[in-house]
Amino acid sequence: MAVVQEKPLLCKDFLARPKQLLIDGKFVDAETGNMFETRNPATDEVLCQVQEGGKADIDKAVKAARKAFEHGKWRKITATQRANMMLKLADLVEKNADEFAQLETLDNGKPIKESRYFDIPAVVETFRYYAGWCTKLEGETISNNPDFFTYTLREPIGVVGQIIPWNFPLLMAAWKLGPALACGNTLILKPAEQTPLSALRLGELVLEAGFPEGVVNIVTGFGANSAGEALSNHMDVDKIAFTGEDKTGREIVKASAGNLKRVSLELGGKAPNIVFADADIDAAVKGAIMGIFFNQGQVCCAGSRLFLDKKIHDEFMSKLTERVSKMRQGNGMDESTQIGPQVSREQQERVLKYIGIAKGEGAAVACGGDAPAGDLAKGYFVKPTIFTGVHNDMRIAQEEVFGPVLSVIPFEGVDDVADQANKIAFGLSGAVWTSDVKKAHKLAARIKAGTVWVNTFNMLDVAVPFGGYKMSGYGRELGKHSIDLYTNIKSVWVNLQD
Ligand code: NAP
Ligand code: MG
């Protein structure tokens, strides 16, 4: 395959360095004595070996985070000093943005243009936004009773465990670190086993930015029966913030029961993307493509159920399939690639299994429907796939595939589509395409999801809350709402009676 790589490999030095755990301000080997490999999804080649943290490493990291929280410099510095460290971290990521973009593409597979122009700038913005929050955390005074002076303090929660998935590796880390640090917590981050690299590079910059030892700890390794589980059931961890599958979310909730630690969950989705006949069809076609094929469909808020008004079904489908069949699939490092490989062989197999299930259920393949042959066969590719003739109760319409697979479901009228859209266990996002303002607002209110887009898709902003209804999780990340996830409110009563 001809890979057009315009820039030199900026992450070469990092790839050659040992990949250790960041614990108590130092990079150290894992107590397990084990390493695991991380691969390039476009080629199946091993990129490097990474230390495999286990329970003993989590214990060490929690001790370091506890010490830093209770007795370290971190608690004594001012909010402005905290903000300055976060701003410095943002500057350092920005300075190394091209290196981060390459690392993200090599480890995850996503097109370099997406890493460079979406993921990494969003990381920088997230750190800058939350740096601003350091100096804006306030309590309140409540003067209901003249005999008492009553006020509240907004305090950090303490030691926070953060477990993240592989789809936006560095951005998910930033969504977790940003608010946790702004509020003065200390933390242990467990990146996904498939994509540990950008978090470890970030760890180097955390030290360079001057965060005191033990404030940010990064333990790479596995989830179940390993580092992730040890973190979520740890009795000295005060909160777990988790992003991943709903199945894992349930395990996290169970594991949290020991010390009843706080839990916030960002889980999966199966978003309805609804197109009415009065919509701008060309814009909706582009929105549908971006909604399902961005990041190879590995997006929790992906528009995986496309509801088409029967009146425009055929016209829409012919425009959609024409565009999708021209999408350039290839190695993410190639500047011209529009759709890359899935993150892992396991994920590729999962997506292909769901394609088989959909065919078995009687859905018709409008395009794609298998893995590409030829040069791409080495990697974990799945062709962008669209199914028509889908019923909302089929497994392909109800279960999260987390890949480039779109289910097209026809509808007739607002009530029909609102009912079908909400007949789903998830509720992360949804979208409506129409030129009728009333219809747009009515459906925005009726869709049971944490985000609804009108005449757009996948819009995110660090200041706008993001999170789920139903099985898509609880708690809101981003914006001011994530401050609630990382602080406790304390009420103080002072007796003024003589
Ligand atoms: P996952 O299997 O749930 O893994 C997520 C993280 O949890 C990984 O770090 C994983 O470690 C760890 N983990 C697995 N089992 C664990 C356990 N028993 N205890 C503690 N930690 C455990 O999810 P994924 O396959 O990486 O990611 C895809 C899923 O994430 C999709 O369902 C997607 O919808 C969801 N997602 C949601 C959002 C959102 O904001 N709502 C964003 C992105 C992704 P290992 O990697 O080592 O297994
Ligand atoms: Mg996983």
Side-chain angles (χ1 to χ4, degrees), residues 345-402:
R345 184 70 75 199
E346 186 190 355
Q347 201 61 23
Q348 180 199 32
E349 284 166 2
R350 174 190 160 113
V351 177
L352 293 172
K353 185 192 85 181
Y354 269 108
I355 288 174
I357 290 172
K359 289 175 181 168
E361 288 177 309
V365 177
C367 64
D370 53 12
D375 284 347
L376 299 187
K378 275 190 305 220
Y380 316 141
F381 293 87
V382 178
K383 286 185 201 159
T385 297
I386 305 180
F387 283 106
T388 51
V390 176
H391 297 286
N392 193 41
D393 52 5
M394 289 180 179
R395 283 184 67 189
I396 195 66
Q398 289 291 315
E399 297 175 23
E400 187 180 44
V401 178
F402 222 56

Side-chain angles (χ1 to χ4, degrees), residues 271-292 301-312 316 320 406 411 413-414 417 421 429-444 447 451-459:
N273 187 14
I274 302 168
V275 186
F276 285 97
D278 59 13
D280 174 341
I281 300 299
D282 291 326
V285 167
K286 285 187 206 153
I289 291 172
M290 204 258 284
I292 187 63
C301 52
S304 46
R305 289 184 301 153
L306 177 64
F307 287 98
L308 289 184
D309 198 322
K310 278 191 176 155
K311 288 178 233 151
I312 50 149
F316 195 100
L320 181 65
L406 180 64
F411 74 87
V414 171
V417 78
S429 63
V432 185
W433 298 80
T434 176
S435 53
D436 178 344
V437 173
K438 286 188 201 166
K439 202 155 48 182
H441 284 289
K442 280 184 184 159
L443 266 166
I447 294 173
T451 294
V452 177
W453 292 292
V454 176
N455 295 331
T456 187
F457 208 97
N458 273 348
M459 286 303 297

Side-chain angles (χ1 to χ4, degrees), residues 73-91:
K73 282 187 234 148
W74 186 237
R75 290 307 293 276
K76 298 185 188 104
I77 64 174
T78 64
T80 301
Q81 287 172 313
R82 215 159 67 226
N84 286 341
M85 285 176 203
M86 293 185 68
L87 290 171
K88 176 128 189 244
L89 181 59
D91 289 348

